[in-house]
């Protein structure tokens, strides 16, 4: 199974440009904070844990590029950069979590050079930790999957959405590594097709059997008894709900009706115990994402469009929250 990182530092910040997949696997060197923000907004880098690492590396990049001559000046520049990076996508909590961690590490230093080194060290630690954590949660979640299970997933919660291994797909990978035969139904994930472009590609690369379906097919498959479990990732888990890619809630409701377990796999960094569903800003994206496909117009010009990137699934529909510290069955939640 592929073990290389999707985000890394090699004399500068590098990431896999996810908008080029499945056509080409293209590393992209990020040369400025402005370019990083563009990459986040356009989903060249996406997925909650990947955004956490990208955010922290963004602070390291800002520190490296800043010509400040004293620590105060540098920290002021970094605070501006941090605010801009955090504001680029509001829903996934990991982005601000990663930025804040790098900023806290930087703020403890005394010299310009120490600030630069500490921000980069923290970003590297977040990146390495992400893979360790995903493998731990993968191992915890793998126990919930049985040999020959058919697992439905939505969006991409694989290694591309993280620095490596993956969360929901990390659980599948860990189960496969433990010798179980798992087959995945990947929902295409309209409108940006993270399921068909990324999840199907990743699983195919790892030779894990995968069948691509349209998002609207999950209910019918459950009714036919073809889905044993649903396994998704999360962008934020508040006291009462899981925020994940738009469409997740519909799968959760269908799973409950058909008595199919619905699992959410996420690191503790995705938990937000300070907020509840109504407090969270759900990013609304450009109408063109729905109205066009690869440059071809699919809807009348100027038609009114609603395009939220995420939805909220109440915790009562979740059978288990799979984390690096174990599996929590709501209303039980990990302490964070
Ligand atoms: O808009 P995206 O592609 O960033 O949305 C990503 C998701 O919804 C993922 O399911 C989530 O971040 C979990 S990633 C391990």
């Amino acid at each position: 199974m592929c073990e290389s990182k999707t985000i890394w530092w090699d004399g500068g910040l590098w990431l896999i440009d996810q908008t080029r997949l499945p056509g080409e696997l293209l590393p992209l060197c990020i040369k400025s904070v402005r370019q990083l923000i563009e990459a986040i907004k356009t989903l060249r880098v996406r997925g909650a844990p990947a955004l956490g690492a990208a955010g922290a590396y963004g602070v390291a990049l800002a520190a490296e590029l800043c010509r400040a001559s004293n620590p105060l000046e540098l920290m002021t520049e970094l605070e501006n950069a941090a605010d801009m990076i955090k504001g680029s996508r509001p829903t996934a909590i990991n982005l601000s979590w990663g930025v804040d961690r790098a900023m806290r590490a930087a703020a403890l230093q005394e010299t310009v050079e120490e600030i630069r080194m500490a921000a980069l060290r923290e970003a590297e630690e977040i990146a390495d930790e992400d893979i360790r954590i995903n493998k731990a949660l993968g191992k915890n979640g793998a126990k919930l999957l049985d040999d020959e299970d058919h697992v439905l997933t939505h969006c991409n919660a694989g290694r591309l959405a993280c620095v490596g291994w993956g969360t929901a797909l990390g659980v599948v990978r860990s189960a496969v590594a433990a010798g179980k035969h798992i087959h995945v139904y990947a929902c295409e994930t309209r409108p940006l097709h993270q399921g068909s472009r990324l999840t199907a590609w990743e699983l195919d690369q790892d030779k894990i059997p995968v069948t691509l379906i349209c998002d609207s097919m999950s209910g019918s498959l459950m009714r036919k008894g073809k889905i044993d479990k649903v396994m998704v990732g999360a962008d934020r888990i508040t006291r009462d709900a899981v925020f994940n890619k738009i469409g997740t809630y519909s799968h959760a409701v269908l799973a409950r009706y058909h008595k199919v377990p619905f699992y959410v796999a996420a690191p503790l960094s995705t938990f937000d115990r300070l907020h509840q569903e109504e407090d969270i800003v759900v990013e609304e994206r450009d109408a063109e994402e729905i109205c066009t496909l690869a440059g071809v117009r699919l809807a009348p010009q100027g038609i009114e469009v609603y395009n939220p990137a995420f939805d909220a699934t109440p915790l009562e529909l979740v059978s288990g929250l799979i984390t690096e510290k174990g599996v929590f069955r709501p209303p039980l939640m990990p302490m964070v």
Side-chain angles (χ1 to χ4, degrees), residues 41 56 95 97 171 176 206:
K41 285 187 171 167
L95 179 58
W97 168 87
V171 171
V176 170
D206 280 351

Side-chain angles (χ1 to χ4, degrees), residues 24-336:
E24 47 184 356
L25 184 59
L26 203 71
L28 176 69
C29 184
I30 301 290
K31 299 204 171 76
S32 66
V33 171
R34 182 195 288 251
Q35 190 189 359
L36 176 65
I37 289 170
E38 187 274 345
I40 292 172
K41 285 187 171 167
T42 57
L43 274 57
R44 294 185 199 283
V45 57
R46 50 145 297 282
L51 289 175
Y57 276 126
V59 174
L61 180 67
E64 163 128 333
L65 295 176
C66 179
R67 292 293 122 232
S69 54
N70 66 69
L72 198 64
E73 210 182 308
L74 177 53
M75 284 310 294
T76 308
E77 283 269 340
L78 288 191
E79 264 146 36
N80 285 338
D83 285 346
M84 285 192 309
I85 297 168
K86 288 199 277 188
S88 58
R89 287 195 86 189
T91 311
I93 192 176
N94 300 63
L95 179 58
S96 47
W97 168 87
V99 168
D100 289 344
R101 249 183 82 167
M103 286 298 288
R104 273 198 303 275
L108 292 172
Q109 311 308 314
E110 286 177 1
T111 68
V112 163
E113 204 36 50
E114 282 170 8
I115 292 173
R116 289 198 180 112
M117 276 165 34
L120 181 55
R121 211 171 32 238
E122 193 69 6
E124 296 277 51
E125 177 55 28
I126 288 175
D128 291 341
E129 196 181 272
D130 178 71
I131 299 176
R132 285 199 300 274
I133 285 173
N134 291 337
K135 288 193 170 171
L137 77 79
K139 211 167 162 189
N140 293 334
K143 295 177 194 139
L144 300 167
L145 297 185
D146 295 310
D147 194 24
E148 307 291 346
D149 263 355
H150 299 272
V151 176
L152 179 115
T153 193
H154 190 72
C155 196
N156 172 263
R159 75 177 190 92
L160 289 163
C162 304
V163 181
W165 202 247
T167 56
L169 295 189
V171 171
V172 170
R173 286 204 166 94
S174 297
V176 170
K180 294 178 189 171
H181 298 91
I182 307 292
H183 164 256
V184 177
Y185 282 104
C187 293
E188 63 171 347
T189 316
R190 282 280 295 150
L192 292 180
H193 300 96
Q194 290 91 331
S196 51
R197 292 188 299 106
L198 309 175
T199 296
W201 178 82
E202 267 193 42
L203 291 170
D204 192 50
Q205 291 278 308
D206 280 351
K207 303 200 173 9
I208 296 174
V210 54
T211 303
L212 179 63
I213 59 168
C214 298
D215 302 341
S216 52
M217 294 171 185
S218 65
S220 155
L221 280 173
M222 287 182 203
R223 186 167 169 78
K224 290 181 174 143
K226 290 195 180 288
I227 311 272
D228 298 299
K229 274 128 204 173
V230 179
M231 184 76 64
V232 295
D235 290 275
R236 184 187 293 251
I237 302 173
T238 58
R239 290 200 294 265
D240 53 352
V242 172
F243 286 79
N244 193 47
K245 179 53 55 195
I246 188 78
T248 302
Y249 172 60
S250 312
H251 301 311
V253 172
L254 287 163
R256 175 57 54 93
Y257 181 79
H258 292 96
K259 301 187 173 48
V260 173
F262 179 91
Y263 293 113
V264 176
L268 294 185
S269 52
T270 301
F271 284 76
D272 175 6
R273 292 290 296 269
L274 296 177
H275 295 107
Q276 52 195 28
E277 180 182 345
E278 65 190 26
D279 304 327
I280 305 307
V281 177
V282 171
E283 171 190 354
E284 282 196 37
R285 297 187 60 86
D286 201 292
E288 288 306 286
E289 291 180 353
I290 294 185
C291 292
T292 59
L293 187 61
V296 177
R297 179 143 288 278
L298 302 175
Q301 200 83 42
I303 197 82
E304 192 179 317
V305 165
Y306 174 52
N307 185 19
F310 304 100
D311 61 23
T313 298
L315 284 182
E316 69 220 39
L317 295 179
V318 177
S319 314
L321 296 163
I322 302 167
T323 76
E324 65 271 34
K325 295 286 179 210
V327 179
F328 297 83
R329 295 187 187 267
L332 283 183
M333 292 272 270
M335 295 297 290
V336 277

